[in-house]
Amino acid sequence: EAGVVQSPRYKIIEKKQPVAFWCNPISGHNTLYWYRQNLGQGPELLIRYENEEAVDDSQLPKDRFSAERLKGVDSTLKIQPAELGDSAVYLCASSSGRLSRAYEQYFGPGTRLTVT
Amino acid sequence: GESVGLHLPTLSVQEGDNSIINCAYSNSASDYFIWYKQESGKGPQFIIDIRSNMDKRQGQRVTVLLNKTVKHLSLQIAATQPGDSAVYFCAEKCWAHFCAGGTSYGKLTFGQGTILTVHP
């Protein structure tokens, strides 16, 4: 079974430029998460989707970050404009339900973003 | 705010030794704890979990201990192997409908991470 797929794996952009990350969750998983992970730190949740609905976006910097999951499957996370402090690894994860236990939350390999 | 942290940022052991990685948590409302392993260039991978009504749980070569009195979590790896080299994170989750300290229901909160290096 394919795991969570993310692209691109690496992205280098100049500050003030836009950037987008794409995630394809495990087939059948209706819950999708976007995390940001700074170097040496644990992942921090940015947004959680239940199907196409964003049920927790309290940590998403809405002035420059946006996300969508239009058909309740794939998701895109966008930053516009990017700032130097946005350099991090952006992880996508999926699980089969809101009440799923941790072992059911599968992470993708992440997109490493470098803003210069 | 509430946080989950680690005492030791790095741990270096010899192959075959036992490893112990520690974690302190501060949200007394958390009722579910998890250890993750993250290798370079990969996302976190679930290792083992424990509920707050337990103080010990064993898996294959790994044991998690929970001490709610002092809010301490540890991961023990037996007969550590070079393949165990990675960053290890503890994480907490609160399943109560209202979670103290601002942790939202079901939200996974990670700690800082410990780098484990196993020397052959």
Side-chain angles (χ1 to χ4, degrees), chain A residues 9 37 40 42 56 98-99 101, chain B residues 38 41 43 95 104-105 111-112:
Chain A
R9 292 296 313 278
Q37 184 175 25
D56 183 358
R98 180 173 64 90
L99 299 180
R101 296 299 180 186
Chain B
Q38 187 172 22
W95 290 107
S104 61
Y105 176 82
Q112 186 177 22

Side-chain angles (χ1 to χ4, degrees), chain A residues 40-107:
Chain A
Q41 304 291 319
E44 295 178 315
L45 181 69
L46 292 174
I47 189 169
R48 182 180 79 199
Y49 281 94
E50 298 291 338
N51 297 306
E52 65 275 9
E53 181 184 2
V55 297
D56 183 358
D57 63 355
S58 57
Q59 301 300 312
L60 189 72
K62 298 180 183 63
D63 57 335
R64 297 183 300 106
F65 286 65
S66 64
E68 60 182 15
R69 194 185 184 199
L70 295 177
K71 297 183 178 179
V73 181
D74 295 3
S75 177
T76 302
L77 177 69
K78 298 178 182 178
I79 308 175
Q80 183 172 13
E83 297 179 353
L84 295 176
D86 296 331
S87 295
V89 175
Y90 291 83
L91 293 162
C92 179
S94 71
S95 64
S96 60
R98 180 173 64 90
L99 299 180
S100 62
R101 296 299 180 186
Y103 57 81
E104 296 175 349
Q105 186 170 143
Y106 296 89
F107 285 84

Side-chain angles (χ1 to χ4, degrees), chain A residues 36-44 85 87-89 112-113, chain B residues 38 87 89 112-113 115:
Chain A
R36 176 169 59 190
Q37 184 175 25
N38 293 312
L39 186 64
Q41 304 291 319
E44 295 178 315
S87 295
V89 175
R112 180 176 296 277
L113 173 67
Chain B
Q38 187 172 22
V87 180
F89 294 96
Q112 186 177 22
I115 301 172

Side-chain angles (χ1 to χ4, degrees), chain B:
Chain B
E2 300 291 355
S3 65
V4 178
L6 298 174
H7 294 302
L8 300 174
T10 62
L11 179 64
S12 184
V13 301
Q14 291 295 128
E15 181 178 3
D17 288 350
N18 296 331
S19 301
I20 299 176
I21 301 172
N22 297 301
C23 173
Y25 67 93
S26 57
N27 187 353
S28 58
S30 293
D31 50 14
Y32 184 53
F33 304 89
I34 313 100
W35 280 101
Y36 285 91
K37 173 186 180 183
Q38 187 172 22
E39 297 175 281
S40 180
K42 297 183 179 180
Q45 179 184 9
F46 172 88
I47 302 173
I48 191 168
D49 59 355
I50 188 169
R51 298 185 184 187
S52 59
N53 61 352
M54 304 170 66
D55 53 20
K56 180 180 180 179
R57 189 164 187 226
Q58 288 184 298
Q60 186 176 11
R61 283 202 306 119
V62 295
T63 301
V64 55
L65 300 177
L66 174 64
N67 186 330
K68 295 182 291 294
T69 302
V70 295
K71 298 177 185 175
H72 185 266
L73 192 68
S74 69
L75 175 69
Q76 300 178 357
I77 306 174
T80 315
Q81 303 168 1
D84 294 328
S85 294
V87 180
Y88 289 81
F89 294 96
C90 64
E92 60 173 335
K93 206 167 189 178
C94 179
W95 290 107
H97 191 70
F98 172 76
C99 297
T103 303
S104 61
Y105 176 82
K107 177 183 175 181
L108 200 60
T109 301
F110 285 80
Q112 186 177 22
T114 292
I115 301 172
L116 174 64
T117 302
V118 183
H119 300 284

